[in-house]
Amino acid sequence: MLRQKIRQAFTKQNTLDAEAISHRQKLTFLQRMLRWSLNINRSMLIGLSFVVLIFAGALLLSLPIAHQNGQWAHPLDALFTAASASCVTGLVVWDTANELTLFGQLVLIFLIQVGGIGIMTISTLFSIGFGRRMKIRQLLLVQESLNQDAPSNVIHVAINVLKYTFVTEFVFGTLLALCFYDKMGAHAFYWGYWHAVSAFCNAGFDLAGNFDSFVGFQSHILLNLCLILLIIIGGIGFTVIDDVLSNRCWRKLTLHSKIVLTVNGALIIAGTLIIWLLEQHNAATLGSLNIACQWLAALFQSVSLRTAGFNTINLAALTNATLFFMVCMMFIGASPASTGGGIKTTTFAVLLASTVALLRDKKDVVLFNRRLDTAIIHKSLAIFLLAISWCLLAIFLLLFLDDKNQPVQFVIFEVISAMGTVGMGVGITPEWNSWCKLVLIITMFIGRIGILTFGMSFFNKKVDRLRYPTENIMIG
């Protein structure tokens, strides 16, 4: 009897010890998770915010209510479309006009708007609206997402982002509605504001149907000009918009604004001229149009190809030389703190200026009588190399995984279009298999948050406490 009581007491004690150990393990796991959430870097948080948006959008777009056939969508197609909308890219596997219901189209335009403005910016505005004070960690996070130098003016910039966005979309949405009114009546206002959001956010989604984009509106001057201005305003960045509206004088503009405006203007003019020269005799694109429509279509394509993804000519009929030129322009992309992707116009300008300075044996890199910091040059070089590396890897993966042997030039075009969040397609996007779609989803995601932000999300910043001796090597 005594032996049995001792055995029961011993068993009870072992059970209590096991429960205590299990409880301590749970606390340790929770403590580790809390420590990880506190130590997670800002770059990863920005990326995670887009991941949450993409998966929430994919869930809504997979619902039967989002599709005209009333059936559940394929999860990967829903994920691809949500990623394309949230990352304001524009590559599509569904015919937006003929396959999505009103609910599906509204979900799509919501993802475009939130993805264009940025989740961090919207969360900041909500906090301000509910009277909550922003903590320094939140300010630093929004500073990172808006690409600002200091957290002091983050709230001011965030408010202006919302103001500029809605005013611009309302004004140009009304003008676009007038363009569509003769054909659609009151429904033109839905079309106008929907496309105004898509164009300003440089998303490239449209409701024209049959994957034709705006090919049927080649000669409509007002519509083309409205879309061109929306794309340019959305692509130069909110910081530049604020600087231009505040100073209204070229001499008072910041160096950043001067570089962005100069490079954008040069690329638009060069793009228009080169596209016209390469396609003026191509009957399937510009050759069948009169001279005025040729220049209008060339201008529209030059503006759209770097960020937006709309087209008024048949992209699949372009010559290989034009496709290659477009790939280069899409790779450059839009400007920092904008709704577009690519390596950005400022990165391109810094790389070009530093190369010229090296060829001329100049010690400093100077733009508009201002010397650029060495850290900016190193950052630009890193962005370029990382972007090139990922694009080459994505092209290789698509060529390896593709089971339909798509032309190499079309594969390259598709990858750069995804990386630059341009969304221009040559008609092969719906034909990719599941693995290829996953590669493009990751590419669109990287293009939207930025290749440097994506890379830095895997590393925590550390201060170098040691400096090693220098030694020269041979290069070149």
Side-chain angles (χ1 to χ4, degrees):
M1 190 70 177
L2 181 61
R3 184 180 298 175
Q4 186 178 0
K5 288 183 178 180
I6 293 173
R7 187 182 295 113
Q8 288 176 352
F10 184 74
T11 304
K12 185 177 180 180
Q13 183 63 38
N14 286 343
T15 304
L16 292 174
D17 291 342
E19 290 178 354
I21 293 171
S22 177
H23 181 66
R24 284 198 298 270
Q25 288 176 344
K26 289 180 180 179
L27 285 177
T28 304
F29 175 74
L30 291 175
Q31 289 172 350
R32 289 178 180 176
M33 290 297 295
L34 179 61
R35 189 180 302 167
W36 177 82
S37 63
L38 291 174
N39 292 333
I40 188 172
N41 62 50
R42 296 190 295 272
S43 299
M44 184 174 286
L45 282 175
I46 294 172
L48 288 175
S49 67
F50 275 95
V51 170
V52 171
L53 180 65
I54 290 170
F55 276 95
L59 178 62
L60 293 174
L61 289 174
S62 64
L63 297 174
I65 192 177
H67 300 270
Q68 295 185 11
N69 59 13
Q71 298 179 357
W72 287 87
H74 191 285
L76 189 58
D77 288 341
L79 183 65
F80 186 95
T81 306
S84 183
S86 302
C87 300
V88 290
T89 304
L91 290 176
V92 291
V93 293
W94 295 331
D95 188 336
T96 307
N98 298 322
E99 295 188 37
L100 294 181
T101 61
L102 177 62
F103 174 81
Q105 293 173 7
L106 291 177
V107 169
L108 201 64
I109 204 65
F110 173 78
L111 293 175
I112 291 171
Q113 185 73 90
V114 175
I117 296 177
I119 300 173
M120 298 304 169
T121 305
I122 293 176
S123 63
T124 301
L125 295 172
F126 269 107
S127 298
I128 297 171
F130 285 105
R132 295 176 56 189
R133 295 185 62 183
M134 297 288 292
K135 297 180 180 179
I136 184 63
R137 180 176 174 81
Q138 293 173 302
L139 290 174
L140 291 173
L141 188 60
V142 181
Q143 174 199 344
E144 184 93 8
S145 65
L146 291 175
N147 205 5
Q148 296 296 303
D149 294 328
S152 57
N153 61 338
V154 161
I155 296 177
H156 169 75
V157 173
I159 294 174
N160 283 342
V161 165
L162 191 69
K163 180 172 64 175
Y164 298 148
T165 298
F166 289 151
V167 170
T168 304
E169 290 174 353
F170 176 78
V171 172
F172 284 96
T174 304
L175 292 175
L176 288 174
L178 297 177
C179 297
F180 298 127
Y181 190 80
D182 290 340
K183 292 185 178 181
M184 304 177 184
H187 189 64
F189 288 95
Y190 172 71
W191 262 55
Y193 295 125
W194 202 97
H195 287 103
V197 174
S198 182
F200 180 77
C201 293
N202 286 204
F205 283 87
D206 64 84
L207 301 176
N210 302 317
F211 304 102
D212 286 337
S213 192
F214 290 101
V215 174
F217 298 88
Q218 289 175 330
S219 58
H220 200 302
I221 298 176
L222 179 60
L223 184 141
N224 278 262
L225 291 179
C226 286
L227 292 176
I228 286 171
L229 290 174
L230 278 167
I231 295 168
I232 292 175
I233 295 172
I236 61 176
F238 298 108
T239 306
V240 177
I241 297 173
D242 186 58
D243 191 23
V244 170
L245 293 178
S246 300
N247 293 311
R248 301 181 184 182
C249 177
W250 179 263
R251 289 182 298 174
K252 295 181 180 180
L253 296 181
T254 62
L255 175 62
H256 172 81
S257 298
K258 290 179 180 179
I259 293 174
V260 167
L261 294 174
T262 303
V263 174
N264 269 283
L267 291 176
I268 290 172
I269 294 172
T272 303
L273 180 61
I274 293 174
I275 291 174
W276 181 80
L277 289 173
L278 294 174
E279 295 294 326
Q280 61 175 319
H281 300 301
N282 187 350
T285 54
L286 298 181
S288 60
L289 305 175
N290 60 52
I291 188 66
C293 289
Q294 284 184 359
W295 282 105
L296 181 61
L299 172 63
F300 184 91
Q301 221 53 64
S302 175
V303 172
S304 180
L305 68 87
R306 286 198 3 261
T307 54
F310 295 121
N311 58 282
T312 56
I313 56 178
N314 183 8
L315 299 180
L318 294 170
T319 63
N320 287 335
T322 308
L323 286 175
F324 176 77
F325 171 73
M326 285 186 166
V327 163
C328 297
M329 297 288 277
M330 289 191 297
F331 185 75
I332 296 173
S335 301
S338 72
T339 56
I343 64 170
K344 303 296 189 295
T345 52
T346 48
T347 304
F348 172 71
V350 170
L351 292 174
L352 189 62
S354 59
T355 303
V356 172
L358 179 64
L359 293 175
R360 298 179 62 186
D361 198 23
K362 297 290 185 180
K363 185 177 180 180
D364 297 326
V365 179
V366 178
L367 285 171
F368 294 101
N369 298 322
R370 292 293 184 273
R371 179 173 55 86
L372 297 181
D373 190 84
T374 306
I376 298 295
I377 300 172
H378 291 168
K379 185 177 180 180
S380 300
L381 183 60
I383 290 172
F384 177 78
L385 290 177
L386 288 171
I388 282 286
S389 300
W390 178 261
C391 288
L392 291 175
L393 177 61
I395 291 168
F396 169 76
L397 290 175
L398 287 184
L399 292 173
F400 176 73
L401 298 170
D402 179 34
D403 53 5
K404 294 189 177 181
N405 295 321
Q406 301 288 359
V408 176
Q409 66 269 28
F410 285 1
V411 175
I412 296 173
F413 192 93
E414 195 91 346
V415 168
I416 304 301
S417 180
M419 185 67 185
T421 68
V422 179
M424 280 189 179
V426 286
I428 63 174
T429 307
E431 300 177 10
W432 294 116
N433 60 37
S434 298
W435 290 108
C436 292
K437 288 176 182 176
L438 283 174
V439 172
L440 289 174
I441 287 172
I442 297 172
T443 304
M444 290 187 291
F445 173 74
I446 293 174
R448 179 61 185 98
I449 68 171
I451 186 66
L452 194 61
T453 301
F454 177 77
M456 292 173 64
S457 65
F458 297 99
F459 301 95
N460 287 320
K461 295 181 179 179
K462 295 182 179 180
V463 179
D464 290 332
R465 297 182 178 180
L466 294 176
R467 295 198 70 185
Y468 295 94
T470 60
E471 185 173 347
N472 292 328
I473 61 172
M474 293 183 290
I475 59 173

